[in-house]
Each structure stands twice: as structure tokens, then as C-alpha cells.
Amino acid sequence: MKKFLLILAAFALLCCSQKTPEFHVVPMPESVTPGEGVFQISGKPFYVEEVLDTSSRAAVERFASQLSLVSGKASAVSSEDSGQPVRFLLNPNLGEEEYALNVKKNGVNVEASAFNGFLYAIETLKQMLPEEIYGSAKASAKWNLPVVSILDSPRFPYRGVHLDPCRHFWSVEETKRIIDIAAAFKLNRFHWHLTDDQGWRVEIKSYPRLTEVGAWRDETMVGKDFEQFDGVRHGGFYTQDELREVVAYAAERGITVIPEIDLPGHMVAALASYPELGCTGGPYEVRKVWGIAVDILCAGNDEVFTFLDKVFDEIVDIFPSEYIHIGGDECFGSRRYKGEIPWDNCPKCRARMRKLGIKKGPEARHYLQNYVTARVQKMLEAKGRKIIGWDEILQGNLAPGATVMSWRGTKGGIEAASRDFDVIMSPNKFLYLDYYQSKEQDKEPLAIGHYLPLEMVYGYEPYEGMEPGTEDHIIGVQANLWTEYISTPEHLEYMLLPRLCAASEVQWCSAENKDYKRFDASIDHLFRMFDVMGYTYAKHARGLIGLPGSEQKAAPAEDCQ
Ligand code: ACM
Ligand code: ZN
């Protein structure tokens, strides 16, 4: 932190003396050495070393054409070296996501060893320029970069954001906007929660009823009233062409899409489509209320595994990700639910338990879930993929090779790491962006509950509470956006921003490089970025509450303790 106060002071000094632009890049790069003066980049030609791969070259070309558009001065890109001042060079000594950036008064050198490194260098350059760089028309601005030397790489290799299109459906265009903003903050995974009780969103050609029936619910509960309904049919799904389009779009921005097929719970939309997959045979209907359903896939019926195998055949064909998320959360009713579940009374499930030697008792359901998880894990291994599951998959026995996504706080992640599993930390307390951003809930759009202000997201330390020596099992951190109470793109973005930016520093910055005061000083820059890009965002950090149009002043801090 001391290092950054010094850096900020140096930039502030330069700012007064030579109008060097402020340095407010988020997430803050790992090492920043400021110099004196500026380099004026508009209209300057770019050199791209011949050896750069086509994706890196395309990224440089996109940056050059964006700069040309907003500055009104063309920046030509060429691989013939004529001493161009803006230079993109391969440096095989840097890590895959690392980059080095050297701005001098007479030019810029960008070095990386791979595509993501070049992408992150470009994102840093964009944030060092006036926010108009994100615009869609010529803008009058000073296209100056501060003289600086940066060497940067992320703390965690997995930096994710999750989106739920099941509770409310988000168009391909809105989904791409979420990917765009994630890319601007150097995230590299998009966890797409494509199936749930309230809607099945992915076209599966071998099971057409999943989208003919399962993608639609007749109506939805109103607010938090489980007995009142809006009478409006809701739904939608992505065709396989659309899914491929999103995968390619994300890949161009350095982001891998990880699909989630949530099982064996959260499957009511699939059961409504194919009732024979449930223990009772139904009838089932696509769920119209939130909360946790008791009906789940039958674990004793081999047809269920044939179904999953065929579904995953199509899923792996669409999504090239190393990981497939198989859910695994909330399989046995809500946490308060103490009743029987269909598995308890299903002859097929009971026969399966007997065959597996699972003894009766409260743990039996966990062991049967372990059986389902392990069988799906094997199925996916045979297709060349690894599984991620929510932390419930740890209950009982979990086979080696699974990655655990810790969402019920950090406990599951800590335990998983100490049991030698890789972990993605996504604790609800710090990273569930559907939680309220203020304690003055009456001034906020309806949310699921709880309280998660920007500072709290920022303050999350993924290694806290871990057994020493197990830290390397934390491969990443993810922010999640569930959408039970979010039905418009404006509200969605309001919940995401700027909390996603705070999360990006948890994901990218070393613990020593984090400093909320320094981050807070970047917030006006972030807000100008969002304005130019046309995103809706929350302004709690500047004393306002509520969606734009209904914003109100926040109460003085002591009133909302
Ligand atoms: C979850 O929030 N049910 C993973
Ligand atoms: Zn059953």
C-alpha cells in the first residue's frame, strides 16, 4: 500500500506540473513505475511483430481501429518495421497472462508472450486514455498516455463472473455486454448457468422438449409473495448457433465460457419436459416460484444417465472449455426442509442404494449424490473434460479430480483445499452480486436480501482461514449474479457495476497491492467509463441509492449502521 501511495503521489505531482493524466487503472497493475510527461498516441502508426498469432494481431487491430474512430486520426497497423512508435512485440520470457508496457515520450512498447497478455496490455492502455476511448463516435479529448513502465500479471488464473439466465432470460446482446465489461476488467471466465427449475435455456437437439416445454413458465411469483402470480408467460432459450456465437465472442476477448448443467437438483424444467427422469414420474411443471424444489433427477434410473450423456455430448460440442460445471447444489430441499425427498421413497433409488451398500440414515442422500457426481465426472472425463461443482458435492465422498466452487461462505473451499481439491472461491457473503448494496432497502430495487456493499466485495481475502500450505489449491475467484429479482438489463447492470470492478481487484491484485482508498479514487474514472459505454451502474460510493431515474441521497453513514 505504501508503494501505491508513493506512486499516486508521484502521479499527482506530475499531474500538477506537466498535466500527466491520472493513473487509475482497475484492476491496479502489479508494478507501476511512473515517469515524466506524456506520449500522444492518436494518429500514430502501430507495428505488430510478424510472429504474433492471429488472435493477438486481431486484438491490436481492433484497438487501432477504435482509437482511429474516436480520435478521428487513423492509426495504421503493419508488420513491416519502419520504426513505428506504437510497438507490439513477442516476449517469450513472460507468462501466459503477463505483459510489459513501456510508455516513453516518443512511443509505446507492448510485450507479451500470448494472446491474453496482449489483451490485458490493451485494456490497461485503454484505461490510461480518456474514457472517450470506449465511445462509438469521434470525441474531442487529449489522446495522451502518461509516461510509465508497467509489469503486470494476475494473482489467480481463474477470474470468473457468473450469470443466471434461467430465473430471467437475457438476450445474446445483453449477454455480450456482460462479457464486454468483464473483459475490460481482465476477467477470463464466464460461468453460464444455463439450466434451472424455472427454465432450461440451452437447445439440445436430441431432447427437443427441453426447450419446447422446459424453456417456458406460464407465470412468475410477484415480488416475494409465493401465492401471487403475474400471469405473464416468461422464457426463452439459446439456439446452438447462438451459443457458439457467444463462445466465439467471449474467446475473442480472452474469456472462456463454462456452461453449467445443474444436477441432480435444480432440474424441474427438465422433469417437466421428460417426467420419466424423475422419481415419481410427475406430472411436473416449470417452476413459477423461487426457492428450492424437492423434485430432482432419479438417481436409480439408468435412463437418466443416458439422458445426461447425450446432453453432455451436445454441450461439449458447443463449449470447448476445459471445465464443465455440473451444479450439485441444493439437492434436498431448502436448508430448513427436514422432510422426505423423492429418493427416499423411490424403488429405483432404494435399489441403487442397496446395490451400492449405502446404509440408511441422514447421510445416505449425500452418498447417493456422490454416486451421481462420480458417474457424471467419469462421463465427462471420457469426453475430455473436468468437472466443477458447487460445494455440496464435497458432502460424503468426492472423487479426485473435481474442482469445488465454494459458495456457502468459505468453509467448503477451505475444507476442499485441505482435502486436496482445487477450489474456486465464490462465497455468497462477499461475491453474491444479487445482494443489496445498501441497508436502506426501501430506496433500492427489490433484491434477494442480505447486504453487500462495494467495500465488502473489495475487502475479501481468498486465503483467509485456510490451512497453511493449502493456498495453491485456490485456482480462482468468481462473482455470481443470480436473477430471481432482476428482470431488466438496467437492473442487472446496476447490481453488477461497480461491484464487479471491486471483485476484479480481488481476482487480479496481490493482497499487498489492494488498497480501498486508492480504488475509491478510481471510481469517478469507472463511472465515466460506464457512461461512455452506456452501462447502468450503482452510485452508492458517491452517496446515491437506487436505479437511475429513482436515485435518492443515502442517509448519513451513522443512520444506516
Ligand atoms: C447457489 O447459490 N445455489 C449455488
Ligand atoms: Zn428415484
Side-chain angles (χ1 to χ4, degrees):
M1 173 172 155
K2 255 196 203 140
K3 192 166 87 188
F4 273 102
L5 288 179
L6 277 173
I7 290 167
L8 279 182
F11 270 107
L13 250 176
L14 290 168
C15 187
C16 301
S17 58
Q18 306 188 33
K19 288 219 170 356
T20 304
E22 285 168 48
F23 194 85
H24 40 211
V25 174
V26 173
M28 176 57 87
E30 193 52 28
S31 159
V32 181
T33 311
E36 279 186 23
V38 297
F39 167 62
Q40 201 272 110
I41 191 175
S42 57
K44 301 283 161 55
F46 286 32
Y47 168 65
V48 185
E49 225 180 344
E50 189 90 61
V51 287
L52 261 64
D53 61 86
T54 46
S55 307
S56 302
R57 175 181 299 273
V60 174
E61 276 166 5
R62 272 206 310 273
F63 174 48
S65 75
Q66 178 65 13
L67 180 64
S68 306
L69 171 78
V70 294
S71 70
K73 289 186 183 165
S75 280
V77 181
S78 167
S79 287
E80 278 190 28
D81 191 354
S82 56
Q84 293 95 325
V86 183
R87 306 176 70 75
F88 289 83
L89 310 167
L90 193 75
N91 180 347
N93 297 322
L94 296 173
E96 207 177 311
E97 295 201 293
E98 193 174 18
Y99 67 93
L101 193 54
N102 247 298
V103 184
K104 297 194 174 138
K105 282 186 192 165
N106 60 353
V108 188
N109 265 16
V110 177
E111 294 175 30
S113 69
F115 175 52
N116 280 50
F118 284 110
L119 281 181
Y120 303 144
I122 291 169
E123 291 307 334
T124 294
L125 284 170
K126 283 161 80 176
Q127 283 203 44
M128 284 159 61
L129 286 168
E131 291 80 8
E132 286 80 358
I133 185 67
Y134 297 98
S136 51
K138 184 169 181 288
S140 64
K142 284 204 168 100
W143 301 102
N144 289 342
L145 288 168
V147 170
V148 68
S149 177
I150 294 173
L151 182 62
D152 196 15
S153 60
R155 179 177 181 187
F156 294 106
Y158 180 116
R159 303 179 302 281
V161 62
H162 147 291
L163 180 64
D164 165 18
C166 299
R167 277 48 179 267
H168 286 96
F169 182 69
W170 308 104
S171 68
V172 166
E173 285 320 303
E174 184 57 28
T175 307
K176 287 182 179 174
R177 279 171 65 78
I178 304 301
I179 289 168
D180 287 342
I181 201 71
F185 295 98
K186 304 186 174 87
L187 275 66
N188 63 2
R189 299 287 188 279
F190 176 60
H191 169 177
W192 211 359
H193 179 82
L194 288 167
T195 66
D196 215 308
D197 299 320
Q198 293 83 4
W200 182 282
R201 304 286 175 233
V202 44
E203 179 190 26
I204 300 294
K205 295 191 191 222
S206 51
Y207 289 93
R209 285 176 62 80
L210 287 171
T211 44
E212 286 163 9
V213 175
W216 307 96
R217 60 178 184 262
D218 288 341
E219 52 189 356
T220 304
M221 64 184 277
V222 175
K224 297 208 170 172
D225 186 341
F226 280 70
E227 273 153 27
Q228 207 193 322
F229 295 89
D230 63 6
V232 179
R233 185 169 145 88
H234 181 90
F237 66 92
Y238 308 107
T239 65
Q240 295 198 353
D241 284 346
E242 287 172 326
L243 295 162
R244 286 196 173 89
E245 180 186 327
V246 172
V247 168
Y249 185 88
E252 264 181 28
R253 286 150 186 81
I255 295 180
T256 303
V257 180
I258 298 181
E260 179 182 349
I261 303 297
D262 200 347
L263 66 101
H266 288 281
M267 268 283 171
V268 174
L271 297 183
S273 314
Y274 296 97
E276 63 275 22
L277 301 175
C279 290
T280 64
Y284 308 99
E285 66 169 358
V286 180
R287 198 164 154 92
K288 305 186 295 198
V289 297
W290 313 134
I292 303 164
V294 173
D295 288 309
I296 61 180
L297 290 177
C298 177
N301 180 355
D302 278 331
E303 256 183 62
V304 166
F305 295 93
T306 306
F307 163 78
L308 291 173
D309 197 36
K310 286 193 175 161
V311 167
F312 283 122
D313 270 342
E314 297 193 31
I315 290 292
V316 299
D317 198 45
I318 301 164
F319 298 95
S321 56
E322 175 187 10
Y323 293 104
I324 303 291
H325 202 303
I326 63 157
D329 57 321
E330 301 175 322
C331 298
F332 314 120
S334 72
R335 267 171 259 178
R336 278 183 293 276
Y337 181 78
K338 295 278 181 269
E340 293 191 321
I341 56 166
W343 282 1
D344 298 333
N345 299 312
C346 167
K348 289 184 183 139
C349 284
R350 280 158 60 151
R352 178 84 76 201
M353 283 198 258
R354 272 196 306 279
K355 201 162 165 210
L356 294 169
I358 296 173
K359 294 199 177 67
K360 283 194 182 143
E363 307 280 278
R365 50 182 70 172
H366 298 314
Y367 292 117
L368 191 53
Q369 184 180 352
N370 292 153
Y371 168 79
V372 175
T373 304
R375 198 158 160 182
V376 172
Q377 185 176 3
K378 271 210 185 113
M379 193 183 277
L380 280 163
E381 270 168 14
K383 300 181 202 303
R385 308 305 174 93
K386 297 196 237 175
I387 61 160
I388 301 175
W390 299 109
D391 58 52
E392 286 92 333
I393 64 169
L394 255 191
Q395 293 163 157
N397 298 315
L398 177 62
T403 293
V404 174
M405 187 168 268
S406 186
W407 75 277
R408 296 176 300 172
T410 57
K411 210 167 133 258
I414 291 168
E415 182 191 332
S418 68
R419 283 169 56 187
D420 246 1
F421 292 102
D422 280 350
V423 171
I424 297 153
M425 281 294 197
S426 190
N428 48 3
K429 187 174 165 190
F430 297 101
L431 289 164
Y432 266 39
L433 304 185
D434 55 337
Y435 288 6
Y436 280 106
Q437 305 186 64
S438 157
K439 285 192 175 171
E440 295 176 88
Q441 296 184 356
D442 54 322
K443 295 181 184 170
E444 292 282 11
L446 190 67
I448 197 156
H450 309 282
Y451 173 50
L452 179 55
L454 188 63
E455 298 92 308
M456 201 160 149
V457 176
Y458 193 90
Y460 173 54
E461 165 44 50
Y463 289 167
E464 196 175 312
M466 294 199 68
E467 264 182 44
T470 64
E471 294 88 347
D472 283 354
H473 275 304
I474 307 290
I475 62 166
V477 173
Q478 180 172 289
N480 292 344
L481 191 45
W482 301 100
T483 63
E484 283 93 333
Y485 297 97
I486 303 172
S487 61
T488 66
E490 292 77 18
H491 188 187
L492 187 75
E493 293 172 9
Y494 172 84
M495 301 306 270
L496 192 72
L497 300 173
R499 288 188 291 187
L500 187 72
C501 310
S504 80
E505 292 228 343
V506 178
Q507 296 166 321
W508 185 278
C509 299
S510 61
E512 309 81 64
N513 240 5
K514 282 174 66 199
D515 171 5
Y516 189 74
K517 258 200 184 145
R518 187 261 303 146
F519 175 77
D520 184 75
S522 304
I523 286 175
D524 295 323
H525 152 67
L526 297 176
F527 286 4
R528 283 194 299 272
M529 249 176 96
F530 303 150
D531 283 335
V532 175
M533 294 165 115
Y535 284 89
T536 303
Y537 57 95
K539 299 184 186 142
H540 301 79
R542 294 294 176 262
L544 288 174
I545 299 185
L547 278 165
S550 62
E551 281 161 342
Q552 300 175 58
K553 275 209 163 111
E558 60 272 22
D559 287 352
C560 49
Q561 290 308 300

